Amino acid sequence: MKINHLTSAEENLMKLFWKLDTFYLKDIMEQHPEPKPHQNTVSTYLKILVEKGYLSTEKEGRIFKYKTALPLEEYKKFILSELAAHFFNGSGKEIVDFLLSEDFLTEEDLQNSYNLKIELNTTKKKEPELEYAEEVLKTKKSKKGKEKKKKKKEQNKA
C-alpha cells in the first residue's frame, strides 16, 4: 500500500485518531482541544483521510464509524524513511550520528536501552575560532602597549 503525505493539519488530527483507534465524529469533537474546529471542517478532513487510506469507515444507520486503517508505527516508518532519503543519504548511521551530535541521543542511551557494549567515537562540537573578533575586541591598552614596544624597538635600532 502506498502511503501518502499528510499536511500538518491532517497529521495533527491523525495523532488524535491513533489514540482513539475507532471513533465517531462526535467523539472527535469531544476529544479535540480548544479551539475546536467546526464540525464541517472535521468532516472534510475525515473524508480526505479516508481517500488517502489513513481511515476506513463503517456505516451504522445514518452515521459513520471511523477506524484507523494505517497504524502509527507504519506512518513512523514512512516518515523516517522519507527523512533518511532526503536528508541523510538513506543512511541510518548518518541519522544516529546526527542524533548524537545534537544531543537528542547520548552514548548512555544507546548502552542502557540497547545493551550495547561498544565505545562510540563522538566528535565534540568545535568552538568557533574568533581570530577577528579577538583582534577587534582587544582593549586600547594592549594596542598602546604594542605601539610603545614598536617605538622602543625602533629607538634601539637607531
Side-chain angles (χ1 to χ4, degrees):
M1 173 182 154
K2 184 182 181 298
I3 299 176
N4 296 307
H5 288 274
L6 294 177
T7 64
S8 61
E10 292 167 347
E11 193 172 274
N12 286 334
L13 282 172
M14 279 305 300
K15 288 176 185 176
L16 174 62
F17 302 159
W18 279 310
K19 287 178 187 173
L20 297 172
D21 192 41
T22 59
F23 52 90
Y24 299 95
L25 179 59
K26 68 178 176 83
D27 297 329
I28 299 165
M29 298 309 294
E30 290 171 2
Q31 296 285 326
H32 198 285
E34 293 292 337
K36 294 186 185 296
H38 192 274
Q39 188 170 330
N40 291 348
T41 304
V42 176
S43 293
T44 302
Y45 278 113
L46 289 170
K47 181 181 175 192
I48 292 168
L49 291 168
V50 168
E51 289 172 0
K52 286 186 172 184
Y54 283 87
L55 300 174
S56 62
T57 60
E58 184 181 315
K59 189 147 183 158
E60 291 185 359
R62 294 182 357 195
I63 61 172
F64 285 102
K65 182 178 186 178
Y66 296 90
K67 179 169 179 41
T68 54
L70 183 78
L72 176 59
E73 292 304 314
E74 288 296 315
Y75 185 68
K76 285 180 182 179
K77 287 179 192 175
F78 168 70
I79 291 297
L80 189 59
S81 65
E82 290 282 304
L83 183 71
H86 291 290
F87 296 101
F88 297 101
N89 300 315
S91 168
K93 180 191 177 309
E94 282 189 34
I95 293 173
V96 172
D97 288 345
F98 179 78
L99 292 173
L100 287 166
S101 71
E102 294 299 315
D103 295 327
F104 289 114
L105 190 62
T106 65
E107 187 176 337
E108 278 182 21
D109 293 337
L110 289 175
Q111 290 174 344
N112 294 339
S113 297
Y114 305 103
N115 200 18
L116 297 177
K117 304 291 183 210
I118 57 172
E119 186 174 316
L120 298 175
N121 295 332
T122 56
T123 56
K124 300 251 179 183
K125 291 182 186 177
K126 290 182 181 177
E127 292 296 322
E129 293 182 22
L130 304 173
E131 291 175 26
Y132 299 109
E134 287 174 0
E135 193 171 310
V136 170
L137 296 174
K138 284 182 182 175
T139 62
K140 290 181 181 180
K141 289 180 182 177
S142 63
K143 286 184 182 178
K144 287 180 182 176
K146 285 184 181 179
E147 289 174 9
K148 286 181 182 178
K149 286 181 184 178
K150 280 185 183 179
K151 284 182 183 178
K152 283 183 183 178
K153 284 184 182 179
E154 288 174 7
Q155 289 174 354
N156 289 338
K157 288 181 183 178

